[in-house]
Structure formats: structure tokens, C-alpha cells
Amino acid sequence: GALLRRLSSVQAAILVGVGLRGATFDSLSAELGLPVSQLLALFNKLMRKLVAPLQAEAAKAEEASLPAPSAARKQQEWLEDGALARYEIKGTEEDWEEALAGRGGPVTGVLSVRSSKEGEAKKRKLGGGGKAKDKGRGDKPRKKSR
């Protein structure tokens, strides 16, 4: 409706001639009394007029499908601030394969994997090599508790 009101009569004739009748630009040139180059220029303008509203509508539809900027920003902040770190699964791929292989059957219930060896090594370094003195222990080996 509103789109066709903005077309000139020559552009409407080009649209009907090429689109509905399947006429060539040479035959339209003879019918309308205009050079082919002018018809092609008008056809180019016609296509731009038709495509612009369609692209605008597609952009609106795409914008509507995206989450609101504030919601997307909140979601991004939530992911970046480490709120999910407490749900991180510990252990390397090899640790998990070893634990699963030791089960011998289908995996059900709870499966535990020890923390990485690097983390244990760091704990030993922090506890044993510092300047803190052990009170009352001396150099005696510890007895293992049962």
C-alpha cells in the first residue's frame, strides 16, 4: 500500500513489466520511449526503495529476539565475577579416567577424585619449608595413627 505510493509511474511500469510480464529492458525501452540506461537507473532506485523497509523490519525482528541489554550485561557480569567457581569440577582428565576405571561397572552414586598433585605439592612447600618453628616436636619421626 504505502510502499507503492512512493513509486513514480515509470518505476511502477518497470516493476509490472519486468516482474509480472517478464519483459526485457529493451522491450520496455521501446514501450516507454526511454533509453535502457535510464530504465536501469530507475530500476536500481526501485530496488533500493523496496529493500530498505524490508531490511529495517528484519533488523527490528533481530533486535527483538536478542535479550535486553541490561539482562545481557547482568548475565555477563555474573559469569565473569566467578560466581560459578564453586561448581567447578576438580581433577584432571587422567584422574577421572582412573577413578572410573577402578569402579568396574556402571557409574552410579558419588565418585570422588583427589585434588591435583600440584595443589598437594604447594601445600607441602608452604607447610614444611617456612621459617616457622615446630614447638615441642624435635626431630623425632611421627607415629602413624590407626
Side-chain angles (χ1 to χ4, degrees):
L3 181 63
L4 294 179
R5 278 186 258 152
R6 288 187 254 152
L7 299 178
S8 70
S9 57
V10 177
Q11 286 175 328
I14 292 171
L15 186 61
V16 170
V18 172
L20 296 177
R21 290 186 2 208
T24 64
F25 282 97
D26 291 326
S27 64
L28 284 175
S29 174
E31 289 177 26
L32 298 173
L34 295 170
V36 175
S37 61
Q38 188 175 359
L39 289 178
L40 288 172
L42 290 170
F43 181 74
N44 187 12
K45 286 182 183 179
L46 168 67
M47 287 297 112
R48 289 177 190 267
K49 281 184 182 180
L50 292 175
V51 169
L54 296 175
Q55 286 178 334
E57 191 63 34
K60 284 181 189 176
E62 187 176 336
E63 243 180 67
S65 70
L66 297 174
S70 62
R73 190 178 323 114
K74 285 180 184 178
Q75 183 181 27
Q76 189 63 31
E77 288 172 3
W78 184 67
L79 291 172
E80 288 175 355
D81 75 355
L84 298 177
R86 63 182 165 175
Y87 300 110
E88 180 181 12
I89 297 174
K90 307 288 186 204
T92 63
E93 191 69 31
E94 293 82 25
D95 294 337
W96 282 100
E97 287 176 9
E98 182 180 320
L100 290 171
R103 286 223 139 166
V107 178
T108 57
V110 178
L111 178 68
S112 298
V113 175
R114 292 183 175 230
S115 62
S116 68
K117 306 224 186 278
E118 292 176 28
E120 292 173 8
K122 286 181 184 177
K123 288 179 186 175
R124 280 189 224 122
K125 286 180 185 175
L126 291 175
K131 293 182 180 179
K133 296 180 182 179
D134 293 334
K135 295 182 180 178
R137 293 192 182 170
D139 289 0
K140 296 181 192 177
R142 291 187 187 179
K143 292 185 180 180
K144 293 184 181 179
S145 60
R146 294 183 188 202

